[in-house]
Amino acid sequence: MGNLEEETKRILKENKLYANKKLGQNFLIKDEIIEKIICEATVNQSDLIIEIGPGIGALTKALLEKAGRVVCIELDDNMIPILMNRFGTNQKFELIHQDVLKVNLKNLIIDQKKNYKFNNVKVVANLPYYITTPIIMKLLEEKLEIQSITVMVQKEVAQRLTAKPGDEYTGTITYAIYYYTQPRVIVHVQKESFIPSPEVDSAVIQLNLLEKPRVKVTNELLFFKVIKSAFMQKRKTLVNALDSSKLIEKQKLQGLLNKIGLDEKIRGEKMTIEDFAKLVELIDENVKK
Ligand code: SAM
């Protein structure tokens, strides 16, 4: 048994705790995976790290050794005394006991900036899998001043999150991620690297935030609405999918697709992000008329 595995079992036993499945608790027990996460996120003294779901603190401990400051957000009441016991006296450590989806992250970063000096803000986490997508969408849509997001997610989710739009694993979120970031898979992680073992393997991915979105879009709301509608009915052609969503009339849309040189029978999943950007500019002009 490795050191981290022993330590995790000991802490859980001493506190008479079991992993809470409903909260997506799978504790990392492999030191080498933690080292890899820290190394690939290039965690250093000039970083403010936001860790989502620290659990009993396996990743937190390593983050505190390398980062300038670590702010953790944990929902589970049971984890709070354990974390405070372990790291409460460390000046670099701060714990927010809340649901991450309810935390105002923009204000959190502003407050940290007022009181501490750092160059970059990075999110590093072994995410609770039941809310992977809402967490990532929150981090992107709130247009936070963060440099990178390095997170553990389920392996199949990792494929969708890091796919290039138009590729095999494309989904709505693929476009959002590709719009805001440069994504990559860092390492695949076997289910045995956690206690308890989740049902599927995992992967660590990194999303590096772009200075400006990858394509120029005037109406972001409409852009994502069109993409979402296209993927709600993936098997349909784009024209039929958007017709059901009542965003634009069938014939008008066919005309716009012709205008940008796309086949009228194209399906949304075959469209690149540039295709969607061009099409949405035209739809927007059309709607305004
Ligand atoms: N970081 C620890 C590790 O790597 O061993 C634990 C990771 S575990 C996969 C996910 C953690 O997220 C758990 O500690 C769980 O309690 C916490 N969590 C679940 N839902 C949450 C939420 N809505 N907001 C904040 N933390 C949450």
Side-chain angles (χ1 to χ4, degrees), residues 23-28 53-55 74-75 99-100 126 128 130-131:
L23 289 178
Q25 288 178 355
N26 299 101
F27 302 109
L28 243 174
E74 174 60 59
L75 176 64
D99 175 351
V100 65
N126 172 15
Y130 73 106
I131 42 169

Side-chain angles (χ1 to χ4, degrees), residues 4 8 20 22-29 34 37 51-60 72-77 79 83 96-103 124-131 135 152 193-195:
L4 184 55
T8 305
N20 183 337
K22 279 194 187 143
L23 289 178
Q25 288 178 355
N26 299 101
F27 302 109
L28 243 174
I29 52 164
I34 291 188
I37 294 172
E51 188 193 2
I52 299 164
I56 61 167
L59 190 53
T60 321
C72 294
I73 304 168
E74 174 60 59
L75 176 64
D76 187 2
D77 301 350
M79 299 299 147
L83 289 163
I96 299 173
H97 181 193
Q98 225 189 46
D99 175 351
V100 65
L101 297 176
K102 295 190 180 141
V103 175
V124 179
N126 172 15
L127 287 181
Y129 293 167
Y130 73 106
I131 42 169
I135 291 176
M152 179 88 71
S193 308
F194 306 86
I195 44 171

